Amino acid sequence: MGAGHPHLHVVTCASTLRAGGVDLVVLAPVDFHYSGLATAVATGALSPEAARIDVAALCRQHEVEHRVGRFASIDAAQRTVATEDGGELAYDRVSFNLGSVVAPGGIHLDPDVAAVKPFDRLSAFARRLDALDAAATPQHPVRISIVGGGPSGLELAGHLSARLRTRGLIQLLERDERPGAGLPVGARRRAVRRLVERNVEIRVRSRVEQVEADHLVVNGHRQDHDLAVIATGLSAPPTVVTAGLGDARGIPVRATLQHVDHDEVYAVGDAAYFTPGPLPRLGVYGVRQGPVLVASLLAARSGAPLPRFEPQREALRIVDLGAGRALAARGRWWAEGRGPLLLKRRIDERWLARYR
Ligand SMILES: Cc1cc2nc3c(=O)[nH]c(=O)nc-3n(C[C@H](O)[C@H](O)[C@H](O)COP(=O)(O)OP(=O)(O)OC[C@H]3O[C@@H](n4cnc5c(N)ncnc54)[C@H](O)[C@@H]3O)c2cc1C
């Protein structure tokens, strides 16, 4: 179910799986959009093609049956899943790779307000941004509110400040003392400095209560904007909850990536809640779970012991700050400049090339 980072890898292993007695059926939309490049695409720095993988073509190439559609519900007793368009699929084993969505964190949100995930909500932001920027003048620049100062909020603020024709009035609203949660203190300071240099207004200790198309309410005060985007952190998609598979943390899995209650149900990537120790929602974990899932499907068929996923302790994070710069951090180490961006582009391109 779904074709994100780990399942794309599984598709490329189809012939090995077939030889081991495992046939795959993938239920997923035709396109996968790589979120590592999402902010660059949404702000026009890269074309949408740069972040797209054609799932249908990948499945064809590896002779895997691809059903175009989306997962809706599961009957674990009957071992069937239902699709959003009313279809049904039977399974011996099922794996979920459904990604994540922005968690509004108690903010009252107009459903049309853009969010950094899923991708279709960010591409709506890109379309509106183009129209507003074209109509803006130095006297009336585009006013943009970015709600949430985590890595995605920083990326958006960085790209927008570098891209807007009229520079715009960009404000980044963060509930904490400083944006950049999860990054070392020095890196957080550097990110703030870069954004302030580019006229981004950083408003800390900002408790946003409501976001509408034309205004928001922060610390009890109304403030107008032309465009807003929500970047308040990620949670599992609502389907996980409505299907009874888990909660907003995700589908609870053991170290073997199997559901805590069902041996034949797996979950990987952002949609999984790794109960041995919750993981940050980063693509790298899903990427590394792919080979474990393949080995597990083969082992389950042959009766061998199932492999366990052992996550790395510290993952490298690279935040693209726009204007040709990025900030890289791993544990307490960090660096900022052109080098980290070149490294990010190389990692992204190498990963994308594998599935094209
Ligand atoms: C703006 C932004 C930038 C980021 N940058 C980075 C970065 O640089 N590096 C990094 O490591 N992480 C980054 N992340 C985090 C990263 O997005 C996630 O950790 C990663 O995408 C998780 O991979 P995944 O395969 O679980 O999910 P996804 O990549 O989201 O893939 C899930 C797939 O499932 C499909 N799907 C969803 N629902 C259904 C359904 N019901 N039925 C069928 N298919 C469905 C979706 O269409 C999607 O293609 C970023 C996140 C954001 C928001």
Side-chain angles (χ1 to χ4, degrees):
M1 301 294 112
H5 295 70
H7 280 184
L8 290 170
H9 173 79
V10 174
V11 169
T12 63
C13 299
S15 67
T16 310
L17 285 162
R18 260 192 303 275
V22 180
D23 271 333
L24 300 175
V25 179
V26 174
L27 175 75
V30 171
D31 291 331
F32 165 83
H33 300 279
Y34 180 59
S35 43
L37 296 177
T39 49
V41 169
T43 53
L46 292 176
S47 81
E49 272 309 300
R52 192 177 77 91
I53 288 173
D54 183 339
V55 175
L58 187 75
C59 286
R60 266 197 311 277
Q61 187 194 337
H62 292 276
E63 296 173 24
V64 168
E65 183 179 343
H66 176 208
R67 302 269 182 104
V68 179
R70 296 172 63 87
F71 162 78
S73 63
I74 180 168
D75 183 335
Q78 296 298 319
R79 299 200 181 174
T80 57
V81 290
T83 63
E84 278 183 357
D85 59 7
E88 193 179 87
L89 284 164
Y91 64 81
D92 296 311
R93 293 190 170 249
V94 63
S95 175
F96 291 93
N97 177 197
L98 305 176
S100 51
V101 298
V102 164
I107 300 173
H108 182 273
L109 272 186
D110 177 324
D112 284 340
V113 169
V116 286
K117 227 178 169 195
F119 190 81
D120 45 2
R121 288 191 63 187
L122 195 58
S123 40
F125 170 84
R127 284 193 298 276
R128 267 177 272 157
L129 178 69
D130 277 345
L132 285 166
D133 193 31
T137 62
Q139 293 74 33
H140 298 285
V142 191
R143 297 163 302 169
I144 301 176
S145 300
I146 301 169
V147 182
S152 320
L154 290 176
E155 281 204 353
L156 267 176
H159 274 284
L160 287 170
S161 61
R163 173 225 188 251
L164 285 181
R165 217 171 39 86
T166 53
R167 294 208 96 183
L169 291 177
I170 301 163
Q171 61 167 345
L172 181 72
L173 298 125
E174 168 56 44
R175 197 175 42 186
D176 280 357
E177 294 289 316
R178 194 177 283 135
L183 298 171
V185 177
R188 294 173 80 170
R189 279 203 203 104
R190 175 65 65 87
V192 167
R193 200 169 90 206
R194 283 281 170 252
L195 296 181
V196 169
E197 279 167 7
R198 298 191 211 151
N199 287 339
V200 175
E201 187 189 351
I202 298 189
R203 298 182 55 189
V204 294
R205 292 187 289 274
S206 293
R207 191 161 284 277
V208 176
E209 295 141 39
Q210 184 184 347
V211 185
E212 304 292 334
D214 60 352
H215 75 276
L216 54 74
V217 178
V218 52
N219 298 337
H221 298 289
R222 179 189 160 117
Q223 206 180 338
D224 292 343
H225 52 229
D226 301 309
L227 197 55
V229 58
I230 310 300
T232 41
L234 301 173
S235 68
T239 333
V240 163
V241 182
T242 54
L245 283 163
D247 57 28
R249 291 174 299 179
I251 302 170
V253 296
R254 296 165 257 166
T256 54
L257 305 176
Q258 291 164 293
H259 193 287
V260 290
D261 296 328
H262 306 283
D263 282 352
E264 66 289 352
V265 176
Y266 290 77
V268 280
D270 277 15
Y273 167 48
F274 191 68
T275 58
L279 302 172
R281 288 195 154 89
L282 284 175
V284 63
Y285 293 107
V287 167
R288 291 182 181 212
Q289 285 167 347
V292 178
L293 180 57
V294 170
S296 187
L297 294 171
L298 289 169
R301 201 81 177 102
S302 69
L306 300 190
R308 297 161 73 85
F309 175 63
E310 285 175 15
Q312 59 193 126
R313 269 210 359 228
E314 308 273 14
L316 173 70
R317 292 161 185 245
I318 307 184
V319 180
D320 181 352
L321 293 173
R325 305 184 79 87
L327 199 153
R330 183 175 196 160
R332 287 201 295 199
W333 170 88
W334 66 275
E336 190 262 350
R338 291 193 62 74
L341 184 66
L342 294 176
L343 177 63
K344 177 170 169 55
R345 292 281 183 264
R346 207 164 58 218
I347 294 170
D348 291 345
E349 275 159 22
R350 199 179 294 163
W351 187 82
L352 286 158
R354 248 185 252 166
Y355 303 108
R356 287 198 167 129

